[in-house]
Amino acid sequence: MWALLILCSSVAALSVPQPRAQYAIRTDRILDPRTGAYSSASVLLVGSGKVVDVLPGASYRPDLADSTIDLRGLTVLPGLIDAHVHLGIGGQPAANALTDLRAGFTTVVDLGARTQRILRVRDSIDAGLLPGPRVLAAGLWIGIQGGVCEFNGLGVVGGAEAFRARVRENVDAGADIIKLCLSGWPNEAFSAPQKYEVSDEVITAVVEEARRANRKVVAHDISLGGVQAALRAGVHGLAHAAYVDSATALQLRTRNIFLIPTLASLAGADTSPPSRTLIGAVALAHRVGISIVFGTDGGVLPHGRNAEEFSALARAGLAPLDAIRAATINAARAFGLADSVGTLARGMSADLIAVPADPLIDVTVLKTPRFVMGRGRVVVP
């Protein structure tokens, strides 16, 4: 009797129709950045902002979802991540965020602002009140008065305790990460390699305070001496390319410190010794195995032109797949997002783009996405 009841219950459960997805996305091929391989024809089922399932293309049926999106003929890959933008530079923050999203960057990391406004923009996007990418934000820049991140009175006056207070101010405002400014720009860092602006005591205090609040510290840190100071203090990542030598590069790799080169904005097409040497330092970092994370200094490099950084990374010796990994799995891992972004698989956020050709052959096709979806919402077209 009990066996019959169990059997009947199981049959009844199987007969209950499964909820339909919002979208069934038909594809010819999807790039997996982890392996560098393309899938065969697949169907991505998307619902509630996530990838509900990935099915073989032959399994497609119109009744799987409320709507069908046909991306056959295009190359599909995970939404891109720009790990160094300033939404408050180069326009209004909400407009800049949407511009970055429409360029295919479904996640951005804001590494410093003059006010806490970016945190409120982030919250409005998360609440669905504004269209935009997923935003992680650092709040106010942290640097010395009169230094590289001064910005009209924003610099911190005082020693370690004053810097601890600025970290706490950002954390209390809701900052996801901490941005610390340590050195000047490339010309100064090239000509004075041991120079940096902040004392070792202050750097250590910032890192300790951030760790107490479970926040990572990313440093504007281009000079060799500044990078070595960051290593001693335990900084988690470098916000720009830096003039590292072989020994320092190996230490960065050993301690899992990531590097966000921002070469398109720092060097561009410049062929001066500081720029050539900086590009060479990024090439060295890549060769020794430092995790390269994609970032543009967006706002300095105009928003929407983020993908120009892919060509800059190519000049530093990164193959297209390595550059794509920098903007997907490497960036996701660096900022604690690997469980939701950077790949397309069941349970991951429905962040994806489609481009008209093979980015493993020509990475510049990432400048012109034909389709963008962020957290399950169609953005382009």
Side-chain angles (χ1 to χ4, degrees):
M1 181 64 177
W2 284 111
L4 180 60
L5 287 173
I6 292 171
L7 176 62
C8 290
S9 298
S10 299
V11 171
L14 289 172
S15 66
V16 175
Q18 298 299 309
R20 295 206 308 178
Q22 183 178 6
Y23 297 109
I25 302 176
R26 303 188 71 181
T27 73
D28 283 334
R29 60 182 186 176
I30 301 172
L31 177 63
D32 183 347
R34 296 169 299 184
T35 63
Y38 284 111
S39 70
S40 55
S42 301
V43 178
L44 293 168
L45 298 182
V46 172
S48 300
K50 294 188 175 183
V51 177
V52 177
D53 210 346
V54 183
L55 305 176
S59 300
Y60 169 75
R61 302 190 319 271
D63 64 346
L64 287 172
D66 296 332
S67 301
T68 296
I69 297 172
D70 194 341
L71 298 182
R72 290 175 296 176
L74 301 174
T75 298
V76 175
L77 62 158
L80 304 173
I81 302 168
D82 189 332
H84 188 155
V85 303
H86 298 288
L87 295 176
I89 297 178
Q92 293 300 310
N96 288 338
L98 181 56
T99 298
D100 289 342
L101 176 60
R102 292 183 63 83
F105 290 82
T106 54
T107 300
V108 301
V109 182
D110 189 284
L111 286 182
R114 292 180 175 89
T115 71
Q116 304 291 15
R117 181 182 176 190
I118 306 304
L119 302 177
R120 308 291 77 81
V121 171
R122 174 203 62 193
D123 296 344
S124 294
I125 292 172
D126 286 345
L129 302 176
L130 289 174
R134 178 183 296 97
V135 177
L136 301 183
L140 305 177
W141 277 287
I142 303 177
I144 62 168
Q145 185 180 48
V148 68
C149 293
E150 165 59 40
F151 301 117
N152 300 321
L154 192 64
V156 177
V157 179
E161 290 309 311
F163 277 81
R164 286 182 186 273
R166 173 62 62 81
V167 173
R168 291 193 296 270
E169 178 184 356
N170 281 333
V171 170
D172 290 345
D176 302 292
I177 50 179
I178 299 300
K179 168 71 174 295
L180 175 63
C181 300
L182 295 186
S183 79
W185 290 105
N187 285 341
E188 179 183 62
F190 179 74
S191 60
Q194 290 303 315
K195 182 179 178 181
Y196 54 103
E197 298 179 343
V198 182
S199 72
D200 287 16
E201 179 189 12
V202 164
I203 303 170
T204 299
V206 168
V207 172
E208 287 178 351
E209 199 67 35
R211 282 186 171 152
R212 188 172 290 115
N214 197 29
R215 301 299 197 275
K216 291 186 176 182
V217 177
V218 178
H220 172 118
D221 198 8
I222 299 173
S223 73
L224 177 61
V227 172
Q228 291 168 341
L231 273 163
R232 291 191 295 269
V235 162
H236 299 89
L238 304 179
H240 293 289
Y243 292 110
V244 295
D245 56 21
S246 296
T248 304
L250 288 171
Q251 290 182 63
L252 291 171
R253 184 194 67 186
T254 300
R255 300 190 189 183
N256 295 317
I257 297 175
F258 57 86
L259 179 69
I260 308 172
T262 69
L263 282 177
S265 63
L266 279 185
D270 182 37
T271 59
S272 68
S275 291
R276 291 200 313 270
T277 305
L278 198 62
I279 292 169
V282 174
L284 169 64
H286 177 56
R287 287 197 304 272
V288 303
I290 292 171
S291 178
I292 304 297
V293 171
F294 187 100
T296 64
D297 211 359
V300 177
L301 184 75
H303 294 282
R305 288 169 49 186
N306 316 57
E308 291 181 14
E309 180 70 11
F310 286 109
S311 297
L313 292 175
R315 290 196 292 275
L318 273 72
L321 178 59
D322 293 325
I324 291 169
R325 284 171 170 161
T328 53
I329 55 175
N330 290 5
R333 188 182 306 117
F335 289 93
L337 300 173
D339 61 345
S340 57
V341 302
T343 59
L344 289 171
R346 182 185 301 171
M348 301 293 281
S349 182
D351 297 350
L352 61 107
I353 67 172
V355 294
D358 186 349
L360 298 185
I361 295 174
D362 179 9
V363 76
T364 65
V365 300
L366 296 173
K367 295 179 181 179
T368 55
R370 298 283 181 83
F371 177 85
V372 178
M373 173 177 279
R375 290 192 271 195
R377 298 186 184 95
V378 177
V379 181
V380 176

